[in-house]
Amino acid sequence: MKITVLGGGGVRSPFLAKSLISNAERVGLTEIVFMDSNEEKLNIYGKIAEKIAKRINPGINFWLTSDPVAALKDANFIITTIRVGEDKARVLDERIALNNGILGQETTGAGGFAMSLRSIPKILEYCKMIEEHSAEGAMLFNFTNPSGIVTQAIHLSGFKNVYGICDAPSEFIKQVASVLEKPLEEVSAECFGLNHLSWFRNITVNGKDVMDELLAKKELYTETEMKFFDPELVKISGNLLLNEYLYYFYYREKAEKAIMSSDKTRGETILEINKQMTKELKEVDIDKDTDKAFEIYLRNYMKRENSYMEIESKTEKLHKKDPETLEEYLAKPDSGGYAGVALDIIQGFREGKRKEMVVSVPNRGAIDFLEDDDVVEITCIFEDNQINPIKVPGIGKMQRNLIQSIKLYERLTVEAVFEKSREKAIKALTVHPLVNSYSLAKKLTDEYLEAHKEYIGEWK
């Protein structure tokens, strides 16, 4: 079977390559293709990924291309991880929001809205190519941000065989298992909400409820992403655990103040690190000195990885990682990451074994106050060759209010992109809790439409 990665020249490509190649035989992959329209990045980050893949398993056909048709031809599985406009567009997204006194986070609020304007049209172009060139029934895993809105757009466009993937829920459940000192496979959690707007409840170990035990552990607030939240917030939330991105909603003014007082936004920090990394890597012959190229790559990558959410929260990242050699990196077991959920789904369809996973899928009655075709981020059960969201009754009014508001914003954003409607774009931002102003929404919309005209064209 063949899997194609659209956006294979991205900075995370070496990690994605390790996950895919390490699990290729387990899930039946015989061919892996990394495609990117940016040939310079493909020949740097894609090439490092290729070198890693060849060292781990040279028997798998791993190749690079900038031709999407060749990449997608007869593909059984497709991963999308694209960034239209690259780092410079992200900087614009964040700065335009901040200049208007609004939080400019990459996937949340105005920043996420701007990214949607660029991401959705390009993803839908690829969906048409998949229908034309890929294998019948080809499965799409969307990693492209903002994942929830993009996956919603894909479904509403008529392309149904798609799953939205984000590693935040699975990584958080791993942290919870560690705090409980239990093997991950013994821990179960109900996750519900939307991408980057989800909650966790009913944590169990081998079927036994451990929520009270977990909430009593001080490590919950020091060794997991719950470090961003006060125990009192957990209490008034109904003793639910929170996705880290809810920090931007429940500590909005703190996040805004922290970002505005910083010399650089997160996007500007990433842009600077990536420019320096690319400059250094262009001076190395990756074919002849892969080890040196990887040392440069990982040293720079860890700068961005270890500073995640530090600007916004004024706190240090948990469990910072040290650079390592290529030999050390290859010797470590694969941790899954973004690819882990996709690989679990592929394995599930291959072997038919029951599996619990958090995926973005159509609601189909799982959350009773949402429409069936609303894409939700939710715990799903893979069983009998189907992925079905669990039913989540009794969601509190506090969570219900925020979920409904953001889902309305998401659907309006998708409609705005489909119709190239400035009016619906303004409406989308007006109803978003982090904007919540017609006058600001109008100004933001006009500035984003002008800034990204190169990628989105003229709107009516």
Side-chain angles (χ1 to χ4, degrees), residues 87-100:
D87 296 329
K88 289 182 180 179
R90 175 180 180 173
V91 169
L92 276 175
D93 293 346
E94 294 176 350
R95 273 296 165 199
I96 287 172
L98 290 170
N99 289 342
N100 285 281

Side-chain angles (χ1 to χ4, degrees), residues 103-317:
L103 185 71
Q105 204 278 330
E106 176 190 22
T107 63
T108 304
F113 166 83
M115 194 175 190
S116 301
L117 304 187
R118 301 188 306 277
S119 296
I120 292 172
K122 178 55 68 175
I123 287 290
L124 296 186
E125 282 181 29
Y126 284 134
C127 286
K128 290 179 181 177
M129 291 185 190
I130 292 167
E131 291 174 332
E132 291 174 8
H133 302 289
S134 297
E136 185 176 353
M139 188 177 296
L140 175 61
F141 300 108
N142 177 54
F143 295 16
T144 296
N145 277 322
S147 178
I149 302 181
V150 173
T151 304
Q152 181 76 67
I154 294 169
H155 270 284
L156 293 179
S157 76
F159 191 104
K160 301 301 183 183
N161 201 16
V162 57
Y163 299 95
I165 307 290
C166 179
D167 65 344
S170 58
E171 290 301 311
F172 177 67
I173 294 169
K174 287 180 185 177
Q175 293 174 355
V176 168
S178 179
V179 167
L180 291 168
E181 299 180 308
K182 298 294 182 182
L184 179 62
E185 58 270 18
E186 294 181 7
V187 178
S188 177
E190 288 185 6
C191 174
F192 69 90
L194 310 177
N195 178 242
H196 289 184
L197 194 96
S198 55
W199 291 261
F200 300 82
R201 69 182 192 182
N202 295 343
I203 312 290
T204 63
V205 174
N206 290 325
K208 178 186 175 184
D209 188 293
V210 294
M211 280 298 294
D212 289 343
E213 175 189 345
L214 180 61
L215 290 169
K217 286 183 175 288
K218 67 178 186 300
E219 293 84 2
L220 177 66
Y221 296 97
T222 59
E223 300 301 316
T224 79
E225 301 303 344
M226 288 296 294
K227 73 187 180 91
F228 296 117
F229 306 109
D230 295 341
E232 184 180 46
L233 174 59
V234 173
K235 183 179 179 181
I236 68 173
S237 297
N239 286 333
L240 300 177
L241 306 184
L242 295 82
N243 182 296
E244 62 199 304
Y245 282 85
L246 285 165
Y247 176 82
Y248 296 110
F249 291 87
Y250 294 135
Y251 297 80
R252 184 188 69 246
E253 78 291 349
K254 288 188 175 184
E256 289 174 355
K257 183 179 178 181
I259 296 169
M260 289 178 180
S261 66
S262 175
D263 292 337
K264 301 183 186 73
T265 65
R266 176 65 176 168
E268 287 163 348
T269 302
I270 296 296
L271 176 63
E272 186 177 276
I273 292 171
N274 286 350
K275 281 177 69 175
Q276 178 62 30
M277 177 164 54
T278 301
K279 179 183 176 183
E280 290 184 51
L281 286 169
K282 285 168 74 173
E283 296 172 358
V284 178
D285 188 327
I286 297 172
D287 288 313
K288 293 180 179 178
D289 203 347
T290 306
D291 288 60
K292 182 179 180 182
F294 184 80
E295 181 276 322
I296 293 170
Y297 165 74
L298 201 59
R299 170 169 43 82
N300 283 280
Y301 184 84
M302 286 307 165
K303 291 178 185 176
R304 54 178 281 170
E305 181 71 9
N306 288 335
S307 61
Y308 176 68
M309 276 188 79
E310 284 190 349
I311 292 173
E312 300 91 334
S313 67
K314 297 296 185 184
T315 62
E316 289 196 358
K317 180 178 169 62

Side-chain angles (χ1 to χ4, degrees), residues 253-412:
E253 78 291 349
K254 288 188 175 184
E256 289 174 355
K257 183 179 178 181
I259 296 169
M260 289 178 180
S261 66
S262 175
D263 292 337
K264 301 183 186 73
T265 65
R266 176 65 176 168
E268 287 163 348
T269 302
I270 296 296
L271 176 63
E272 186 177 276
I273 292 171
N274 286 350
K275 281 177 69 175
Q276 178 62 30
M277 177 164 54
T278 301
K279 179 183 176 183
E280 290 184 51
L281 286 169
K282 285 168 74 173
E283 296 172 358
V284 178
D285 188 327
I286 297 172
D287 288 313
K288 293 180 179 178
D289 203 347
T290 306
D291 288 60
K292 182 179 180 182
F294 184 80
E295 181 276 322
I296 293 170
Y297 165 74
L298 201 59
R299 170 169 43 82
N300 283 280
Y301 184 84
M302 286 307 165
K303 291 178 185 176
R304 54 178 281 170
E305 181 71 9
N306 288 335
S307 61
Y308 176 68
M309 276 188 79
E310 284 190 349
I311 292 173
E312 300 91 334
S313 67
K314 297 296 185 184
T315 62
E316 289 196 358
K317 180 178 169 62
L318 287 171
H319 314 303
K320 288 192 174 186
K321 299 175 183 177
D322 295 321
E324 53 196 355
T325 65
L326 179 56
E327 184 178 352
E328 290 169 336
Y329 174 69
L330 294 178
K332 288 170 57 177
D334 176 58
S335 61
Y338 271 88
V341 178
L343 289 164
D344 284 344
I345 292 174
I346 295 172
Q347 184 180 21
F349 279 105
R350 178 178 168 83
E351 299 179 357
K353 291 181 180 177
R354 189 181 190 278
K355 181 84 174 177
E356 181 179 293
M357 59 191 74
V358 179
V359 192
S360 289
V361 295
N363 180 50
R364 301 202 301 269
I367 297 176
D368 58 15
F369 54 83
L370 293 179
E371 299 295 329
D372 283 350
D373 62 354
D374 282 335
V375 168
V376 294
E377 182 171 87
I378 195 165
T379 298
C380 295
I381 303 298
F382 182 93
E383 203 168 28
D384 300 327
N385 280 328
Q386 291 185 331
I387 298 177
N388 293 311
I390 62 169
K391 300 286 184 182
V392 189
I395 293 175
K397 291 180 180 179
M398 184 176 177
Q399 292 76 40
R400 177 175 180 150
N401 176 61
L402 194 49
I403 292 170
Q404 286 181 310
S405 295
I406 297 300
K407 181 47 69 177
L408 174 60
Y409 149 77
E410 289 186 352
R411 293 195 72 124
L412 284 168

Side-chain angles (χ1 to χ4, degrees), residues 20-69:
L20 293 177
I21 202 75
S22 297
N23 294 278
E25 293 181 354
R26 173 172 69 89
V27 301
L29 297 177
T30 57
E31 185 176 4
I32 302 173
V33 185
F34 275 32
M35 193 290 299
D36 205 292
S37 57
N38 186 324
E39 293 196 24
E40 180 182 77
K41 290 179 66 178
L42 186 67
N43 288 325
I44 295 175
Y45 302 105
K47 183 170 282 189
I48 293 173
E50 182 183 33
K51 293 297 181 182
I52 287 171
K54 297 296 185 185
R55 288 204 188 185
I56 294 173
N57 189 343
I60 301 295
N61 182 17
F62 189 107
W63 52 285
L64 309 175
T65 183
S66 57
D67 181 352
V69 173

